Amino acid sequence: MRSYLVGGAVRDRLLGRPVVDRDHVVVGAAPEQMLALGYKPVGKDFPVFLHPRSNEEYALARTERKTGRGYHGFAFHADPTVTLEQDLARRDLTINAIAEDEHGTLVDPYHGVRDIERRVLRHVSPAFAEDPVRLLRVARFAARFAPLGFRVADETMALLRQMVADGEVDHLVPERVWAETRKALAEAQPSAFLQVLRASGALAVLFPEVDALYGVPQRAEFHPEIDTGTHLELVLDMAAKLAPGDDLVGFCALCHDLGKALTPADVLPRHIGHEHAGVAPLRVLAARLKVPAEHAALAELVCREHLNAHRAFELKPATVLKLLLALDALRRPARLDAFLTACEADKRGRAGHADDDYPQAAWLRAARDAAAAVDAAGFVAQGLQGPAIGAALGQARAAAIAKLSKP
C-alpha cells in the first residue's frame, strides 16, 4: 500500500501557485484496509476516504470504462491490482496527471511536467472524449492559465471539435454546465473560456445567445473593436480584473449585451434599444442553465440599465432614484456595487479604453447615500399617512440627489 499526492496540488506547486486542495491516490489497498486504518469513507460512486487526522482526500486507484452517453455513463473499477499509471491515465489533462511520492519524487508517465514547461493543455488519452464535462474543464483551465501563456494543444482542440460533432456535448445537464461556467467566470481571463468553447463549436450548442454576438458590428467611434463578441471578451476580462473571483459580476458581464444579436441588419451598426431587447434571451439562458436567482436578477438589471449608469450625469434626479430603487440599493448597497462594477467593466472593456476613468460609479454611490439618509420618520411626524408618505419621501430623496455636484 502506497499513497501519492496527485492532480492540482502537484500541478500548482510546479507552477509556483498556492496549493489549495491536496488529493491523494492510494495504490495496493482495499476499502477494508482503509477502514481498519481509521480512514472515513465519503465516496458514493467509488472508494474515497478522508484521512483520520488531516481530513485530506485519499482515493483508491481506479480505472473507468464507458458504458453510455454523457458523463454519467461510466463504470469504475477499484482494487489493489490497479496501478498508479492506470489511475493517472483516466485523468483529463497531462498537467493534472502527475503524482508525487512521500519523498517528493514525481511520477509523470504522460509528460505533464513537459507540458507545464511548454504551457500546453493536452489530453492524456483518447478516453478524454468519453466525458463531455472535460470539454468545459479544458475551457475553464484555459481561463485560469491563459495569463501564464497556456494554450490548448492542436490535437486536443481537434478532439474537442469531434466531441461536439459526435453530440457528446448535447448530453451535458444544465447543473454541470453552470457549475463549470461559474468557475470559469471567476478565473483570471474568462475570455479564454469563450474562445475555447467557440473554437470547438460548443459555444453555439451551450450558449447560442452568446455565440450569436460574434460577427455583429458596433459603431467604431464608440467601440473601436467593432465586433460585439470581441467587446464581450474584453468586458469579461475587465470584470475579472475589477472584481477578481466574483462570478456574479462575471455573469452580469457575460449577459449585458445579448440584445445586440437581435438588432435588425438594416439598423446595424447602431443598436437602438438593445438593452431592453437583451432581457428575453437572458431569461432563456438563465432558465436553461438553472442560474441562481440573484445572478439572473442582477444580470437582468445590468442588461436593462447599464446605459443609464453610463449617462448618470444626464439623468433627472427622479430617474436616478428610480434606478437606485430598481436595484434595491438603499437597502442593499453591496448590490449597487456589483451592478456598478459590471457597468464599469462594460465601459472600459473596449479597445483602447481599458484605463478610462468611470466617475459615474462614485457619483451613483453618493446618490445612493444621499437618498438613503432621508427616511420616512419626519413625514410621519408631520401627520402624513399612506401613499402621501411615499410621495413625500420620493420627492425629498430626489431633492437630496439634485444637490449633489457632478464632475
Side-chain angles (χ1 to χ4, degrees):
M1 172 179 169
R2 294 191 66 183
S3 66
Y4 298 84
L5 189 66
V6 292
V10 181
R11 176 200 68 221
D12 288 344
R13 183 181 66 76
L14 293 173
L15 283 169
R17 292 167 57 92
V19 174
V20 179
D21 296 315
R22 290 170 52 87
D23 296 326
H24 306 258
V25 66
V26 181
V27 178
E32 296 76 17
Q33 292 173 271
M34 301 296 287
L35 293 173
L37 292 170
Y39 287 79
K40 304 170 188 175
V42 294
K44 295 180 180 179
D45 298 323
F46 42 81
V48 179
F49 302 84
L50 297 181
H51 191 281
R53 291 183 298 279
S54 70
N55 226 36
E56 294 176 355
E57 282 196 2
Y58 284 71
L60 297 188
R62 65 185 187 271
T63 59
E64 58 189 36
R65 177 172 53 87
K66 184 75 167 174
T67 59
R69 300 284 277 181
Y71 72 97
H72 280 308
F74 290 93
F76 296 95
H77 172 69
D79 70 33
T81 67
V82 176
T83 67
L84 177 62
E85 287 73 16
Q86 287 176 315
D87 181 272
L88 294 175
R90 66 175 178 79
R91 297 174 185 269
D92 51 6
L93 298 173
T94 60
I95 66 170
N96 296 329
I98 310 168
E100 182 180 312
D101 69 14
E102 67 272 21
H103 305 296
T105 301
L106 297 179
V107 181
D108 182 25
Y110 304 106
H111 310 295
V113 173
R114 181 189 64 191
D115 284 341
I116 285 176
E117 293 170 348
R118 295 179 179 180
R119 298 302 197 249
V120 174
L121 301 175
R122 191 191 317 275
H123 63 285
V124 173
S125 77
F128 176 100
E130 296 175 350
D131 185 354
V133 172
R134 289 178 167 177
L135 187 151
L136 288 167
R137 280 173 55 83
V138 170
R140 174 165 63 85
F141 278 123
R144 180 183 301 178
F145 294 129
L148 300 180
F150 275 82
R151 64 174 183 84
V152 178
D154 292 342
E155 61 269 32
T156 300
M157 184 57 73
L159 190 58
L160 298 184
R161 294 191 188 100
Q162 190 60 51
M163 291 169 70
V164 175
D166 289 344
E168 277 289 340
V169 177
D170 301 335
H171 295 273
L172 285 168
V173 298
E175 292 84 355
R176 290 307 298 267
V177 176
W178 170 245
E180 293 296 326
T181 300
R182 187 172 195 170
K183 293 175 184 176
L185 292 172
E187 298 291 3
Q189 194 172 320
S191 62
F193 179 73
L194 294 190
Q195 289 164 0
V196 171
L197 292 183
R198 185 165 179 253
S200 68
L203 191 65
V205 177
L206 301 174
F207 299 93
E209 301 86 356
V210 175
D211 187 68
L213 295 173
Y214 287 89
V216 176
Q218 304 165 108
R219 293 173 63 181
E221 64 266 38
F222 299 125
H223 288 278
E225 70 283 356
I226 299 177
D227 188 279
T228 305
T230 302
H231 168 59
L232 175 59
E233 293 180 4
L234 293 170
V235 174
L236 282 172
D237 290 349
M238 182 56 67
K241 179 180 178 181
L242 296 174
D246 192 331
D247 59 83
L248 173 59
V249 172
F251 184 68
C252 292
L254 178 70
C255 299
H256 81 284
D257 263 355
L258 294 182
K260 288 183 176 179
L262 304 177
T263 300
D266 62 335
V267 179
L268 295 173
R270 302 171 68 199
H271 292 279
I272 301 169
H274 77 276
E275 66 275 23
H276 299 291
V279 171
L282 193 162
R283 288 177 177 173
V284 171
L285 185 156
R288 184 177 67 250
L289 297 186
K290 301 181 181 180
V291 171
E294 177 60 10
H295 282 63
L298 190 58
E300 184 171 322
L301 285 164
V302 171
C303 179
R304 196 173 63 232
E305 304 289 354
H306 65 277
L307 292 189
N308 277 334
H310 296 340
R311 55 183 176 232
F313 303 137
E314 305 165 24
L315 301 179
K316 296 178 180 179
T319 305
V320 173
L321 179 61
K322 183 179 178 182
L323 171 61
L324 295 173
L325 293 175
L327 288 162
D328 199 15
L330 273 60
R331 294 190 309 125
R332 301 166 62 187
R335 203 170 195 239
L336 176 64
D337 289 337
F339 169 82
L340 291 174
T341 302
C343 293
E344 181 175 353
D346 174 44
K347 199 69 171 177
R348 294 173 59 184
R350 299 176 296 151
H353 291 273
D355 297 322
D356 285 4
D357 291 328
Y358 193 67
Q360 295 92 328
W363 189 84
L364 283 169
R365 289 188 182 96
R368 179 263 161 207
D369 292 342
V374 181
D375 60 33
F379 303 110
V380 174
Q382 294 175 25
L384 297 182
Q385 296 180 350
I389 295 175
L393 187 60
Q395 291 175 358
R397 284 172 167 169
I401 293 171
K403 294 178 181 177
L404 297 174
S405 59
K406 299 176 182 178

